Amino acid sequence: MLPGPDAFGPGIRPDRPYESEPDRWPVLDRWCDWRSAPLPRDVLATRTRTFRVPGGPGRAEARLTATVTVHPDALDSAWEIARSMEEVMRCPDQQLREGRRLTSLFTSVLDYGEQAGDWAQDAFSETGQYHDATGGPYPYTWSQGRYGPVTVAVAALGARGVPREALAPYVAQGQARMLHRAQLALGRAGSGRERAEYAPGRDGA
């Protein structure tokens, strides 16, 4: 389900490190700092890949991340979406690793289970500002969708000279392709049927 660079468009290349550790995932602590922790019992597998968006005249390279998480059932994936929303309300400013941080986060939620049927059952996005060693603020956007027990998320971290509207297509296209792959893996593409079973090995996320 995880995309490669070609899923986002021409010129996208892997960043370093390219993939996260398969047996750990990020947790937002009480001080609004992100840290790495072992997988909880309600997560069967998760994996994140990072990419670089090519720069150009007046533009530095931006970053993309893509994450797939597989839960035992659809209820657990719904709770992941709920926790993501709660985290933004609790921590509108968040500290990332390596001196990076997010500020002024704002959320929007769409319940696709009621409104748009087969595309996703829930979708949640956040926007804000991104800061790193080169300065900032730069535009930041993140979007998460759920289909059955699987959640997918794509984040875009801006850079000097990169407008917010230049990042949105990467997020939308990457998330749509990941959700489609989740539907295919679950045997649901085009069927609209509900099945909550999907438990691959950790390398199958």
Side-chain angles (χ1 to χ4, degrees):
M1 284 179 252
L2 270 174
D6 59 340
F8 295 96
I12 305 299
R13 60 182 177 84
D15 199 0
R16 294 183 181 180
Y18 181 45
E19 286 194 349
S20 62
E21 299 178 48
D23 57 349
R24 302 187 67 83
W25 83 331
V27 173
L28 189 66
D29 67 22
R30 60 185 295 185
W31 299 280
C32 299
D33 292 344
W34 285 99
R35 58 181 177 83
S36 178
L39 297 184
R41 289 196 295 178
D42 63 348
V43 174
L44 298 176
T46 188
R47 189 68 63 86
T48 296
R49 286 179 176 169
T50 60
F51 308 89
R52 289 276 188 167
V53 180
R59 290 189 182 188
E61 286 188 323
R63 287 187 174 90
L64 300 172
T65 68
T67 302
V68 174
T69 301
V70 182
H71 296 269
D73 56 45
L75 181 60
D76 290 323
S77 66
W79 274 111
E80 184 192 345
I81 296 279
R83 286 193 295 268
S84 295
M85 292 186 285
E86 185 275 333
E87 285 170 346
V88 176
M89 290 186 288
R90 176 170 65 90
C91 296
D93 296 346
Q94 301 174 5
Q95 184 68 43
L96 306 177
R97 60 183 180 180
E98 300 173 0
R100 305 170 187 171
R101 61 191 177 95
L102 305 174
T103 61
S104 304
L105 294 177
F106 177 81
T107 68
S108 60
V109 182
L110 293 174
D111 185 351
Y112 282 93
E114 296 180 357
Q115 298 178 35
D118 288 340
W119 183 76
Q121 278 136 2
D122 295 292
F124 163 70
S125 64
E126 65 186 34
T127 58
Q129 296 178 330
Y130 169 64
H131 311 252
D132 63 14
T134 69
Y138 307 125
Y140 164 80
T141 184
W142 181 86
S143 184
Q144 184 180 47
R146 178 181 73 86
Y147 204 98
V150 178
T151 64
V152 305
V154 178
L157 303 161
R160 177 181 51 82
V162 180
R164 188 176 301 278
E165 56 268 23
L167 300 175
Y170 295 116
V171 175
Q173 179 169 301
Q175 186 186 58
R177 292 191 175 187
M178 292 164 71
L179 282 168
H180 181 63
R181 290 181 182 184
Q183 292 176 24
L184 292 175
L186 291 163
R188 307 185 197 174
S191 70
R193 292 194 303 269
E194 281 293 328
R195 273 179 23 193
E197 306 92 3
Y198 183 63
R202 297 241 164 108
D203 290 336

